[in-house]
Amino acid sequence: MALEAQVSAITVEDVQQRTARYSAADVEVCWFTDRKTVPWLGAVQAVRLAWAEDGGRLLVVDGAARFERDWCVQRPLCERVQGALPCGGHGRWVDVAELALERFVAALVKNTVRPYRLRVGEPVLRWIARRYFEWEAEQLAASEAHRRTAERAAAAERRREQDQADHMARIRELEARQARQAGLRRPVRAWVCQETGDPVAAVRTGKGPEPAFAMGLPVTVHGELYGVICPVASRLPALRRELEGLVFFAATEREAARISGQAEPGQRVVALKPEASEVPEQRAGGGVTVTPVGRGPGHISVRDMVRIMTGVDRV
């Protein structure tokens, strides 16, 4: 092993090349310097020396490090981050400020300190004892477990938020469909009367969406099925035979195109302009009144609207 005191100035590249030559000759080296500004300290295995204040002995003041462990009181949980996560450790490397040169050289000779590139904090070369390497490794393993747990928790939270967003989107879609169906009642009855020549009293519409009609409102003339208002396009393929020959009514051309794409080829789909969007409210006497969606007296809640849309009240 070479102990080399570098008194004159030297570049980082030069000291690295000389270190490489030592290594090629199977010789380990430790560089010593007493300069206050050392650009290569940390790039190669080196320490900086300084006289003690009393001038009695030389001290290693930079280049050797120890790892200071820092764990939460309850090791299974981390008290410094939000959420019930395992503690990843909060330890750090600190420079050994004053180490007697003779003690450091004795450790070099006994091979109880080794040059090591730190992995926690700045990745510089420092002389360390083995126990500090083990403590850092312990924290790195705990930090990795902490990271994986945090990622799983974040992924679960993203899924929860996405599920909530999907749920709210379904509610909005149900609300929009209910509004379209309610707004098409009168236009559909007027259209059917004009097509069939029957009086308005002979044309009836369903009181709420029904699964048998792809969650649409059935339309009857003199009690006979005639059509369906705003069926769910994705439900039509399973009901093609049952709904064959009926007229489908849509609130927009886009909705009509979706319905037509899932209905029987050639099945009639009519797009009509709905009236102001309102939601029908079921009455005990069988009549249908029109109630706007919202809060307060005279309004229907979103929850009740969803119950009507999904047919829960009829199950």
Side-chain angles (χ1 to χ4, degrees):
M1 182 168 191
L3 307 180
E4 181 157 347
Q6 182 62 35
V7 179
S8 61
I10 189 173
T11 66
V12 175
E13 293 76 13
D14 286 341
V15 75
Q16 287 177 331
Q17 289 176 5
R18 290 171 61 180
T19 301
R21 288 198 295 271
Y22 274 121
S23 179
D26 199 23
V27 175
E28 191 168 31
V29 60
C30 179
W31 297 88
F32 296 85
T33 180
D34 62 353
R35 289 173 172 267
K36 293 184 178 180
T37 302
V38 188
W40 42 269
L41 191 67
V44 295
Q45 47 267 39
V47 293
R48 187 170 69 86
L49 306 177
W51 289 104
E53 291 184 0
D54 58 9
R57 56 182 178 172
L58 277 173
L59 302 175
V60 174
V61 295
D62 199 357
R66 68 175 184 273
F67 190 77
E68 292 187 347
R69 293 188 293 182
D70 185 8
W71 297 93
C72 291
V73 176
Q74 297 183 4
R75 281 288 296 274
L77 299 179
C78 188
E79 302 168 353
R80 306 187 192 183
V81 296
Q82 186 176 3
L85 299 176
C87 183
H90 311 283
R92 63 192 182 96
W93 287 100
V94 296
D95 287 330
V96 177
E98 293 186 356
L99 174 63
L101 177 59
E102 58 269 24
R103 287 186 56 194
F104 177 72
V105 173
L108 287 177
V109 172
K110 293 178 181 179
N111 200 32
T112 58
V113 294
R114 301 293 302 162
Y116 174 69
R117 191 170 298 278
L118 311 184
R119 292 192 289 168
V120 172
E122 187 180 1
V124 294
L125 274 172
R126 290 290 186 266
W127 289 91
I128 69 166
R130 181 173 181 82
R131 65 179 181 275
Y132 300 137
F133 167 81
E134 294 170 348
W135 292 353
E136 184 198 51
E138 179 188 17
Q139 176 165 311
L140 288 171
S143 297
E144 177 62 18
H146 176 99
R147 183 190 64 80
R148 290 196 301 267
T149 302
E151 285 183 350
R152 289 195 294 269
E157 178 62 18
R158 289 193 296 270
R159 289 194 297 270
R160 188 195 68 78
E161 292 177 353
Q162 185 59 51
D163 290 344
Q164 180 67 15
D166 293 343
H167 176 68
M168 295 306 298
R170 288 193 292 271
I171 289 180
R172 289 192 294 269
E173 174 60 26
L174 287 173
E175 183 179 13
R177 184 175 301 280
Q178 180 76 357
R180 293 196 301 271
Q181 289 174 339
L184 281 177
R185 288 175 181 272
R186 290 182 182 177
V188 166
R189 291 170 67 187
W191 187 93
V192 172
C193 289
Q194 185 176 358
E195 283 285 302
T196 63
D198 291 302
V200 173
V203 182
R204 311 285 291 183
T205 60
K207 299 176 182 179
E210 298 185 25
F213 299 102
M215 299 311 294
L217 300 182
V219 181
T220 61
V221 179
H222 295 295
E224 296 291 330
L225 280 173
Y226 184 87
V228 181
I229 299 176
C230 295
V232 177
S234 60
R235 290 176 175 246
L236 291 176
L239 298 170
R240 284 178 178 174
R241 182 174 299 179
E242 292 81 352
L243 303 181
E244 184 179 5
L246 300 181
V247 179
F248 293 141
F249 297 95
T252 65
E253 293 292 345
R254 184 177 180 181
E255 183 182 25
R258 289 200 302 268
I259 293 173
S260 181
Q262 299 295 329
E264 283 285 344
Q267 192 162 3
R268 194 172 185 186
V269 182
V270 178
L272 299 175
K273 183 178 181 181
E275 295 179 340
S277 298
E278 294 174 312
V279 177
E281 180 184 39
Q282 299 288 349
R283 295 294 189 181
V288 177
T289 60
V290 175
T291 306
V293 176
R295 296 180 179 178
H299 290 70
I300 186 172
S301 68
V302 172
R303 176 178 294 180
D304 290 339
M305 177 203 68
V306 172
R307 290 174 60 86
I308 295 172
M309 286 294 299
T310 57
V312 172
D313 293 333
R314 296 190 295 279
V315 175

